[in-house]
Amino acid sequence: MTADPRRGDPRPGDAGAAANRRDAWRGKREAAARRQPSVLTGDVLYLQQVTVSFDGFKALDDLTLHVDPGELLCVIGPNGAGKTTMMDVVTGKTRPDAGRVFFGNQINLLTMSEPEIAQAGIGRKFQKPTVFDFLTVFENLELALAGEKSFWRTFFARLTSRDRERIDEALETTGLASKRGSPAGTLAHGQKQWLEIGMLLMQEPKLLLVDEPVAGMTPQETERTGELLLSLAGRHSVVVVEHDMEFVRSIARRVAVLHEGRVLAEGGMDAVQSDPRVIEVYLGA
Amino acid sequence: MKTPALRLPAAVADRVSVAFLGSLAAVAVAAPLLNLAVPESSPLHLSSYAVGLIGKYLCYATLALAVDFIWGYCGILSLGHAAFFSLGGYAMGMYLMRRIGARGVYGNPDLPDFMVFLNWTELPWFWYGFDRFWFALVMVALVPGALAFVFGWLAFRSRVTGVYLSIITQALTYALMLAFFRNDMGFGGNNGFTDFKDILGFDLQSDATRSALLAATAVALGASYWVCRAVLGSRTGRVLRAIRDAESRTRFLGYRVQDYKLWVFVLSAVLAGVAGALYVPQVGIINPSEFEPINSIEVVIWVAVGGRGTLWGAAAGAVLVNYAKTWFTGALPDVWLYALGAMFVGATLFLPRGLAGLLPVRSRDA
Ligand SMILES: Nc1ncnc2c1ncn2[C@@H]1O[C@H](COP(=O)(O)OP(=O)(O)O)[C@@H](O)[C@H]1O
Ligand SMILES: [Mg+2]
């Protein structure tokens, strides 16, 4: 990780810079609060001073976070830190009490409904996989294709060669090519999770939000999932929420540690892991 | 690959469909032949009574198919499909009543007997047009379809599902039954319509007409099967199964679930109406008891016994259960309802895929 020339503020990336980091980050946040989230930034997603309270309890407390194009960002934090709430805010499920959320340079997500946000290019994978058990893997992907979804259009819909290519591509990416004709109900737990990621890909999202992808997976499945998420970064921006440290260590480029609704630390995995405050609230516990 | 002599549409070109449509065609040809062309003295002769029975079973099979289409593939359990069947039957009955003309007991060329009996002097406006066959045919589809549209629009938009939907479909058919029992509705009250004379000028008592009606019913059943298959074979069909298995997930993918449910519900109601319209000239009567809530429940039992989510199994279930009913009501009339209940419980417990599940053929679209 190197400093981002577009920002003009330091982006610390190694353990040695850990001491400066929090101050720098605070400075950046103040700068961010002043500037318009606009052409100046290349962010795919930008949350600015977002607060969400539930009956006075702040699930998100003045949270500021950004996602770069094509990056894989891991968000970690203990249970109740606000990770899922953050995803709810981005996908329009929860409206924040304060703050701003921008997608790309122009799109204000706070004015949009859930389907509109999905349409705009944000895909979300929930913790519990739901695939259509009685349809084949191929058909699951077919139904997830972006495009016309009305009754009469789907009746006359035929797969174009481009559609087929995209489905084949998703089958390759998720390693399910050999299962294309199998009913999704016959897949193993991990394969269902991959299929669900594949279904997200069919909607051509710019940004993928993935909530606890490796919960309940075998070590082999976990490893494979890591490879899959890494292969998605680049073409998509990916935000992974996870509290399996080992897993995060194996895939992370940049990590944000959430605690009590705020970013406690941010940076490379090693830097974050050696941060005393992180150790105190999370790792050392 | 061998080229088939007869090209079937892709939707019904699979082996199960070919077998199903083939048996239907065989019945449609063999039953009239054995009735009309084989002399009565021959053991191969098929009685006119049997022709009528087979025709009736085929109507029930079409109704069962309509119910299975929405229950087996979209998870909509309608317990009110006898209402759509009866409305189609009433529309056809109105045509048949108008055909009687001056041949009725009162000899009134303009008014059906029951209206003369009620001292009515004019034909009510909603009877206009029913002296024409094409008009009656349009109504056979339009009336059940329109009712299903209004009902489904309200129910599916408000996301009424599962057992709640089933209960209000029961209420629907019950309300219609009460309405049709009333003399002032203009549909013959509790006597309904009967004493039909002819259809399109063909004597309804003649063997040839009865055979033709049987064949027409077989064609209608085959056509209904083809229509359902065509829908199920398209991407729409896969969306329907997705709705059946995970409704909110389907909605989350961007499909307007309520629209899908509405259109298949309407299609199913129209098929039920067509079945009812073919039923009335073959049994010679239609009255409000056809709307009884228990009738709609029976249809669901035929489907469950035959095999939900197979179409052909539902049709076969309708024929088998009704054959059993004919036998029981002749031999052991008091036992019939218990037998029906036992069949349903037995199928639910031991044959979750119905009788169709016993056959080695596996329909890929279950
Ligand atoms: N709808 C809600 N109403 C009240 N409290 C909520 C609601 N959703 C989340 N919370 C609370 O907000 C905090 C953050 O939750 P969450 O975002 O699910 O955490 P995480 O996903 O990091 O474990 C938790 O303390 C949780 O109890
Ligand atoms: Mg969570």
Side-chain angles (χ1 to χ4, degrees):
Chain A
M1 201 106 216
T2 52
D4 188 341
R6 288 164 305 171
R7 286 172 191 281
D9 51 26
R11 180 86 57 80
D14 55 71
N20 301 327
R21 188 174 53 245
R22 279 191 304 279
D23 293 337
W25 181 240
R26 196 167 298 132
K28 174 182 159 6
R29 228 176 63 189
E30 274 150 23
R34 284 190 303 274
R35 82 178 176 210
Q36 287 294 320
S38 66
V39 267
L40 294 177
T41 76
D43 299 328
V44 162
L45 180 71
Y46 185 65
L47 283 85
Q48 185 185 9
Q49 296 179 303
V50 172
T51 299
V52 173
S53 355
F54 297 110
D55 303 323
F57 168 76
K58 285 185 174 168
L60 293 183
D61 184 8
D62 205 25
L63 173 76
T64 296
L65 192 73
H66 71 95
V67 182
D68 289 333
E71 84 163 326
L72 174 67
L73 172 71
C74 285
V75 177
I76 59 176
N79 259 326
K83 305 183 294 292
T84 300
T85 306
M86 179 202 70
M87 292 210 170
D88 288 346
V89 166
V90 174
T91 54
K93 199 173 165 202
T94 301
R95 294 286 177 216
D97 302 294
R100 305 208 273 176
V101 183
F102 275 81
F103 180 47
N105 294 325
Q106 315 287 347
I107 306 172
N108 180 0
L109 293 178
L110 298 185
T111 61
M112 294 161 71
S113 69
E114 284 184 87
E116 282 169 350
I117 292 175
Q119 207 67 41
I122 297 183
R124 177 176 187 180
K125 201 195 93 49
F126 287 91
Q127 277 174 254
K128 182 175 164 289
T130 20
V131 296
F132 303 114
D133 285 353
F134 286 90
L135 299 177
T136 64
V137 168
F138 185 92
E139 290 167 339
N140 269 273
L141 294 170
E142 179 198 9
L143 289 196
L145 271 172
E148 199 41 68
K149 302 275 168 87
S150 81
F151 182 89
W152 296 106
R153 293 285 187 87
T154 57
F155 181 67
F156 294 107
R158 296 287 172 270
L159 283 173
T160 62
S161 54
R162 163 117 183 85
D163 292 339
R164 282 182 190 284
E165 267 169 36
R166 294 199 41 230
I167 294 177
D168 287 339
E169 208 177 284
L171 285 168
E172 279 312 318
T173 313
T174 54
L176 292 170
S178 64
K179 297 280 181 188
R180 62 185 290 145
S182 313
T186 63
L187 297 181
H189 171 75
Q191 293 172 322
K192 282 188 186 174
Q193 297 273 22
W194 302 332
L195 174 55
E196 181 140 324
I197 292 175
M199 289 168 75
L200 273 182
L201 294 180
M202 303 316 298
Q203 305 183 42
E204 302 183 316
K206 290 196 194 71
L207 173 67
L208 277 160
L209 305 175
V210 188
D211 204 349
E212 306 209 7
V214 298
M217 281 194 179
T218 64
Q220 290 86 344
E221 286 174 337
T222 302
E223 195 186 326
R224 178 74 192 82
T225 305
E227 287 166 13
L228 171 56
L229 292 173
L230 280 173
S231 77
L232 295 180
R235 265 184 299 170
H236 313 264
S237 303
V238 185
V239 177
V240 179
V241 157
E242 189 51 72
H243 57 223
D244 180 334
M245 271 320 253
E246 272 314 300
F247 176 69
V248 171
R249 166 170 280 289
S250 71
I251 63 167
R253 295 293 175 269
R254 188 161 71 93
V255 182
V257 181
L258 234 60
H259 178 58
E260 291 176 350
R262 294 166 160 270
V263 175
L264 184 69
E266 194 192 14
M269 189 65 194
D270 292 327
V272 163
Q273 261 185 319
S274 55
D275 187 309
R277 297 210 312 184
V278 174
I279 294 171
E280 186 190 324
V281 305
Y282 186 44
L283 305 168
Chain B
M1 241 180 90
K2 275 186 296 179
T3 328
L6 180 76
R7 267 288 162 84
L8 283 163
V12 290
D14 60 302
R15 272 173 40 207
V16 175
S17 298
V18 169
F20 177 71
L21 295 178
S23 345
L24 263 186
V27 171
V29 172
L33 271 182
L34 296 178
N35 174 245
L36 299 171
V38 176
E40 270 178 56
S41 51
S42 160
L44 283 178
H45 176 78
L46 190 70
S47 71
S48 303
Y49 171 72
V51 169
L53 268 187
I54 296 172
K56 192 169 91 165
Y57 294 163
L58 292 178
C59 293
Y60 289 148
T62 309
L63 175 58
L65 184 100
V67 168
D68 189 32
F69 176 57
I70 54 171
W71 185 35
Y73 294 92
C74 194
I76 303 169
L77 176 55
S78 167
L79 293 179
H81 254 52
F84 304 122
F85 180 84
S86 306
L87 288 173
Y90 265 95
M92 179 57 83
M94 287 165 83
Y95 164 76
L96 297 174
M97 288 302 273
R98 298 288 282 132
R99 288 295 305 173
I100 297 173
R103 286 173 287 178
V105 177
Y106 295 107
N108 187 320
D110 298 321
L111 293 185
D113 276 353
F114 75 88
M115 291 187 193
V116 180
F117 183 77
L118 291 171
N119 291 322
W120 293 10
T121 53
E122 270 182 58
L123 201 65
W125 62 267
F126 50 84
W127 277 76
Y128 294 168
F130 278 96
D131 50 336
R132 269 157 297 179
F133 188 66
W134 68 263
F135 183 84
L137 283 193
V138 170
M139 289 300 145
V140 158
L142 194 65
V143 173
L147 176 67
F149 184 88
V150 173
F151 179 89
W153 192 78
L154 293 170
F156 300 135
R157 198 186 48 138
S158 348
R159 300 197 186 170
V160 179
T161 52
V163 69
Y164 300 100
L165 185 87
S166 303
I167 289 170
I168 58 171
T169 56
Q170 280 265 286
L172 173 77
T173 193
Y174 188 67
L176 282 168
M177 179 182 74
L178 295 183
F180 275 76
F181 262 124
R182 295 162 56 98
N183 278 329
D184 54 10
M185 274 284 283
F187 296 108
N190 60 347
N191 295 316
F193 306 146
T194 188
D195 284 331
F196 308 131
K197 306 293 185 214
D198 72 84
I199 182 167
L200 290 168
F202 298 103
D203 181 5
L204 278 169
Q205 308 307 320
S206 87
D207 285 350
T209 308
R210 288 169 162 275
S211 285
L213 283 169
L214 180 151
T217 313
V219 170
L221 175 53
S224 305
Y225 180 84
W226 176 68
V227 169
C228 291
R229 275 261 156 246
V231 173
L232 294 172
S234 71
R235 188 180 298 173
T236 302
R238 296 188 278 284
V239 176
L240 294 177
R241 271 169 275 156
I243 292 170
R244 177 192 66 188
D245 297 332
E247 181 171 333
S248 58
R249 181 73 172 90
T250 314
R251 196 174 283 121
F252 189 71
L253 282 182
Y255 294 95
R256 283 175 56 87
V257 167
Q258 64 271 39
D259 294 354
Y260 281 79
K261 286 185 166 181
L262 179 60
W263 289 116
V264 291
F265 192 66
V266 168
L267 174 57
S268 170
V270 169
L271 297 180
V274 169
L278 285 157
Y279 175 81
V280 168
Q282 296 186 80
V283 299
I285 183 166
I286 173 86
N287 63 38
S289 67
E290 294 296 338
F291 285 104
E292 272 181 28
I294 182 78
N295 290 350
S296 297
I297 295 175
E298 259 189 61
V299 183
V300 169
I301 298 180
W302 307 339
V303 176
V305 168
R308 176 189 171 196
T310 58
L311 294 185
W312 68 271
V319 173
L320 286 175
V321 175
N322 279 289
Y323 181 74
K325 182 176 188 173
T326 305
W327 184 85
F328 268 104
T329 44
L332 300 161
D334 299 335
V335 181
W336 165 241
L337 272 183
Y338 297 104
L340 182 69
M343 269 190 256
F344 183 55
V345 173
T348 317
L349 290 180
F350 303 114
L351 294 173
R353 293 185 49 84
L355 294 171
L358 292 176
L359 295 190
V361 289
R362 253 284 182 273
S363 170
R364 234 240 65 239
D365 341 71

